[in-house]
Amino acid sequence: MIPAHQPSIFKDLPVKVAASSLLNGHMSFGPMPGKATIEEVRHNRARWLAEVGLKLEQTTLLWVTYGENISYTRIQTVDATAQGRGMSQPGDGVLADALFTSTKQLGLFLPLADCGGVVLYNAKNAVLGVVHLGRQATFANLATKAIEHMKESYGTHPQDIFVWISPSISGDSYWLHTFAFASDATWQPFSQKQGEGWLVDLQGYNIHQLQQAGVPKEQIEHAQIDTAAHADYPSHYRYKTHGEAEKAGRFAVVAFLQ
């Protein structure tokens, strides 16, 4: 079942974008309470992708990793040779923070829990990107770097880009004990002191960065669903900070050119 909350900004464009929810089952091979088996995750992915109009073997996993000495601005281009990578077995996705393609019917697949799954589509030369904008990538200004990549690699004009931002944690829910950019003027509209820490609006900041890069405001759609508060979506934040096992797991975003 495809959830009711789906992008509308691409409805008249030759690109398909969809988001799953907890109702579609866990979409990641990663660890979680009551971890789904590889076979169960594969089944969940295949069943949901079939509803969207794709097969596992047509789809490529954007594989995000964390750790020291990672830039969180890794951008890769994929084509038909990447079809199926990371979709049936763990550890074989394309290691990146953003994937771009100009290949039709190649699905770009990103599991999520609180981070923003951002889809960028260049309507003039049919280039599609899926970007993982979590905390680290947002702090590294990956949104701006993704627009720069489209300009440099594809000759894209920012005013020709359409953007959708997936369900993600909101600035009302995301509390950090420490915030390195508290005194940064650019971040002040998107952060608020609360108690001994800070509420931080990651996607508000990313939307501002996209607009500053030249993407028209009316061509940016934000799902406006707070994963930390909505029962249909997992939330790594709620699971880790409040021990809510029902919020563990990952949903997914997929996008492809038609």
Side-chain angles (χ1 to χ4, degrees), residues 146-161:
I147 299 299
E148 292 172 353
H149 174 79
M150 295 181 77
K151 290 165 63 177
E152 294 171 2
S153 298
Y154 303 104
T156 297
H157 297 293
Q159 63 267 27
D160 297 326
I161 298 174

Side-chain angles (χ1 to χ4, degrees), residues 151-208:
K151 290 165 63 177
E152 294 171 2
S153 298
Y154 303 104
T156 297
H157 297 293
Q159 63 267 27
D160 297 326
I161 298 174
F162 290 80
V163 179
W164 179 72
I165 303 174
S166 76
S168 52
I169 195 167
S170 79
D172 294 328
S173 295
Y174 194 43
W175 187 88
L176 297 176
H177 189 266
T178 59
F179 181 50
F181 299 95
S183 60
D184 187 326
T186 307
W187 270 99
Q188 287 180 6
F190 310 103
S191 59
Q192 176 183 332
K193 190 78 170 70
Q194 185 180 80
E196 296 182 358
W198 296 83
L199 287 171
V200 180
D201 182 5
L202 297 178
Q203 303 318 325
Y205 178 85
N206 285 322
I207 291 169
H208 176 72

Side-chain angles (χ1 to χ4, degrees), residues 41-47 49-50 54-60 82-88 107 109:
V41 172
R42 185 189 302 120
H43 174 73
N44 293 340
R45 290 176 172 184
R47 180 178 56 190
L49 287 172
L54 283 173
K55 298 178 181 179
L56 280 178
E57 55 267 29
Q58 293 177 286
T59 311
T60 302
Q83 286 184 330
R85 286 190 56 180
M87 296 305 297
S88 295
F109 185 95

Side-chain angles (χ1 to χ4, degrees), residues 234-245:
S235 171
H236 184 71
Y237 178 83
R238 294 294 299 186
Y239 166 54
K240 283 295 187 180
T241 61
H242 293 72
E244 298 175 6

Side-chain angles (χ1 to χ4, degrees), residues 4 7 15-16 18 55-56 68 82 90 99 104 149 194 239 254:
V15 61
K16 181 72 175 287
K55 298 178 181 179
L56 280 178
E68 296 182 6
L99 290 183
K104 291 183 177 181
H149 174 79
Q194 185 180 80
Y239 166 54
V254 71

